Structures are given as C-alpha cells and as structure tokens.
Amino acid sequence: MHQQTVHAWLADLASEAPTPGGGAAAAMNAAVGAALVSMVCNLTIGKPRYAAHESTMIEVRHQADQLRQQALELAEQDAAAFGRVMAAYRLPRQTEQEQQTRNQAIQDALVEAADVPLRTAAVAAEVIGLADRILEGANVNVISDVAVAAASARAALSAAVINVEVNLAGITDADRKAKLTDALVKYQGVEADADRIIAAVRSRINQ
Amino acid sequence: MHQQTVHAWLADLASEAPTPGGGAAAAMNAAVGAALVSMVCNLTIGKPRYAAHESTMIEVRHQADQLRQQALELAEQDAAAFGRVMAAYRLPRQTEQEQQTRNQAIQDALVEAADVPLRTAAVAAEVIGLADRILEGANVNVISDVAVAAASARAALSAAVINVEVNLAGITDADRKAKLTDALVKYQGVEADADRIIAAVRSRINQ
C-alpha cells in the first residue's frame, strides 16, 4: 500500500479482492485526520500571532506525525490479519481432531483480527484528542481543517468499532469476548467529542 | 495526486503546503466511501443467494465507480481553485482601480472555490444514498463495509459543508451568498441518513 498510487489503492479497495477492505479504509480515514492535524500545526508554528501556542503545536505535530505512520501500518496489518482468518477457515475439517484444530485456529485468528481495528480506534481517538488540543490556538486561516481532521478521525473511529464488533460476533470464548467488549467502552463518548470540535469550528466560521 | 503514492500524498497533506488541504481530504473520504460501495457490490454480484438484488448491485456499482472518479477529480480541482484564490489575494492594490479589480477577482475566486466542496458534498450524499440502496441486499459477509462506506461518506459531507461555509464567509455579494447557503440546505438531513445506515448494520452484526 505504501508504494501504491492513490488511484491504484482505491481501485483495489473497490475490487472484489477481500483486502484492502473496511479495516484499511478506517485506517486511511485516521491517517487523513492525523495528516490534517500536522498540517494545521505546520501552518501555525513560527507565526508571531500564535507564539503562545508554539510549544503545544510542536508537540501535537510530533504526535500526529507518529499517528499517521501508525495508521498506515494498521492498514497493512488489517490485510494480514484478515488473511489469517481466511486461512484458518480453509483448514481441513474431516476428522474430529481436524475440526477442533480448525475451530481453535479460527478463534485465535478472529481475536487477532479484532485487535487491529481496536488499535485503529485508539489511533482515531487520539487524533480527535489532538484536534481538540489545537482548536484554540490554530491559525485561524486553517481552522476549518481542524474540523475536517475531526470528521475524518470520527469516521475512522465509527468504522473501527464496527470492525471490532464484526470479529467479536464470531468469537465464542466468553472471556475473550468480554475483554474486547470492555475495550470498546472507552470510545463511546469520543464521537461526541468530534462533534463538539466540528460545531465549535462552524460557529467560529459563521459568526 | 493520481500518480502519487498513498504515502507521498498523505505527507503532502501533512506538510505546510497550502494544498492538498481539507478540500482534498474531504474528496478522499468520499472516494473511500464510494470504493467500499463498489467492493460490496462486487462481492455480492454473481452469488446465487443474492440473485434477487443482482440488478440493483450492478447499477449501484456502476454509479459508485463513477462517483469514485468524480471524487478524485474534485480533490485535484480543489487545489486549483485554492490556487486561484491565493493568486487573487496577491494582485496589486496600490490604486483604487487596482483595489476594485483585486476585490472582484477575490470574490470570483471564492465563488469558484466554494463550488468544488459543494460538488464534493453532492458526491458524498450520493455515496450515502448508494450505501442505503445496498443495505438490504448486500452480501452479509461484508455488511460491515456498508457501514464503513457510510461513515467515510458522512465525514466527506461534514467536511465539504464546512469548506463551503469557509468560502461563503468571505463572499460579500448577497445574491451569491444566498445561492450557496440555499444549496447547502438539502444536505441537512443526510448525516442522519448515514447514522441510520450505520445503526442498522450494527444491529444486524450484534443481534
């Protein structure tokens, strides 16, 4: 994906190939959000008018750059994890022993496959947190981009949660299920955070 | 952008260069949503279980493929429109005549620059409409991708509306302002449509 053109990656996403799919799309949305946070920092740093926010902007830019890289890696990892689920489903299931081995392999693969979107959700939530941190001190000429960053990361978060839930639905072990369900709880209010950021930007634009 | 790698495009988005910016990001979100709609259609078409939905899927795929191309073109056009706004601001303003010419050029450029996100909003709303159309008949194995498509297109729509509003804020002509404001009205309920699609998918996954 790193070396693919935007055009080719989107064509792959659109194709009947199982990957890239919704997991990679969520990660891409997170990467777009992180990139816009970096851009806003870059266009604020060094401007005398925003000197009071300089250190915040430098710190946030560093974190956003890292989150963008993480998101890109998660897009790749999603395909690998999905591949392992598919491989597990293709294992032989003639004998009882084979069926047991196959079921265990499927379960392990599904837990792994749920972990990737869980990490995408974490990245997306962090991007929304960064958008919130730069909201006050951002260069007013690019304040709309703070909202676009929040909107893109919000989409990433919604999508990532759904992708965790899809894998959760196939997991039979109660402990593993409970652990994953618990891990999603902390993201419940984060979409509302994004909405608050977007509303704040709109009220500043339209005042 | 077409020929840029995903990695390079995101690095450009993150950089202090004024374009690509939020307008291109919105268009990219729309393209990702459209691509996922195409993917769901591709993974549904030809499956006997979904034969009753075959003609809808073929039609929706065709439209989604076109919307993806349109979104990519809008990402490019956004940069061009922004460049014209910047060029207008750089016009000389020593004499009264120069000031008048410059103001007119800025106004014309802002109207053009508002038109690109307005078309992005239209594309995003269409993608949400297509996600809605395939919700019932989509291959159940990729039903989550219908939600991810809706989430990505929803982000595109929110972002595009904000990008229109930013340009609107600089437009002084009352008629032009009213026309653009009116054009946004029809998108007011579309985010809720996306939310409804996402909720429907989640209730099917978690049932």
Side-chain angles (χ1 to χ4, degrees), chain B residues 79-95:
Chain B
F82 187 82
R84 282 191 289 271
V85 173
M86 288 298 98
Y89 275 106
R90 282 193 298 266
L91 287 174
R93 48 174 167 173
Q94 303 281 12
T95 67

Side-chain angles (χ1 to χ4, degrees), chain B residues 38-61:
Chain B
S38 295
M39 182 188 81
V40 171
C41 294
N42 277 320
L43 289 166
T44 306
I45 293 165
K47 304 259 188 303
R49 183 174 165 190
Y50 305 102
H53 302 280
E54 185 91 356
S55 62
T56 302
M57 293 294 157
I58 290 171
E59 197 186 313
V60 169
R61 176 177 62 181

Side-chain angles (χ1 to χ4, degrees), chain A residues 48-151:
Chain A
R49 184 175 163 188
Y50 305 102
H53 302 279
E54 185 91 355
S55 62
T56 302
M57 294 292 157
I58 289 171
E59 196 187 312
V60 168
R61 175 177 63 181
H62 177 69
Q63 291 175 19
D65 285 349
Q66 289 191 320
L67 291 169
R68 181 170 96 247
Q69 295 307 326
Q70 286 174 26
L72 277 170
E73 283 158 26
L74 285 164
E76 307 273 9
Q77 288 168 16
D78 188 76
F82 188 82
R84 282 191 290 271
V85 173
M86 289 296 99
Y89 274 106
R90 280 192 300 265
L91 287 174
R93 47 174 168 174
Q94 304 280 11
T95 69
E96 207 172 301
Q97 176 58 40
E98 280 178 351
Q99 280 168 30
Q100 264 189 25
T101 306
R102 177 175 175 271
N103 282 342
Q104 192 54 54
I106 291 170
Q107 288 300 310
D108 291 344
L110 283 174
V111 170
E112 264 191 74
D115 187 55
V116 177
L118 197 59
R119 281 184 285 142
T120 304
V123 167
E126 281 193 69
V127 172
I128 292 168
L130 294 183
D132 206 4
R133 280 189 67 192
I134 61 171
L135 182 58
E136 196 198 327
N139 183 336
V140 70
N141 294 329
V142 285
I143 190 73
S144 64
D145 295 304
V146 179
V148 178

Side-chain angles (χ1 to χ4, degrees), chain B residues 75-202:
Chain B
E76 307 272 9
Q77 288 168 16
D78 189 76
F82 187 82
R84 282 191 289 271
V85 173
M86 288 298 98
Y89 275 106
R90 282 193 298 266
L91 287 174
R93 48 174 167 173
Q94 303 281 12
T95 67
E96 206 171 304
Q97 177 57 40
E98 279 177 350
Q99 280 167 30
Q100 265 189 24
T101 306
R102 178 175 175 270
N103 283 342
Q104 191 56 52
I106 291 170
Q107 288 300 309
D108 291 344
L110 283 174
V111 170
E112 264 191 75
D115 187 55
V116 178
L118 196 59
R119 281 183 286 142
T120 303
V123 167
E126 280 193 69
V127 172
I128 291 168
L130 294 182
D132 206 4
R133 280 190 68 192
I134 61 171
L135 181 59
E136 198 198 325
N139 182 337
V140 70
N141 293 330
V142 285
I143 191 73
S144 65
D145 294 305
V146 179
V148 178
S152 196
R154 183 193 194 280
L157 181 65
S158 309
V161 167
I162 289 164
N163 289 333
V164 174
E165 288 177 343
V166 158
N167 288 294
L168 247 177
I171 293 172
T172 49
D173 183 84
D175 273 2
R176 287 170 149 186
K177 233 181 154 82
K179 237 181 187 168
L180 280 164
T181 309
D182 285 354
L184 289 181
V185 172
K186 70 171 150 227
Y187 301 116
Q188 274 169 6
V190 183
E191 285 184 12
D193 288 344
D195 290 337
R196 183 178 45 73
I197 295 165
I198 294 166
V201 168
R202 290 184 72 180

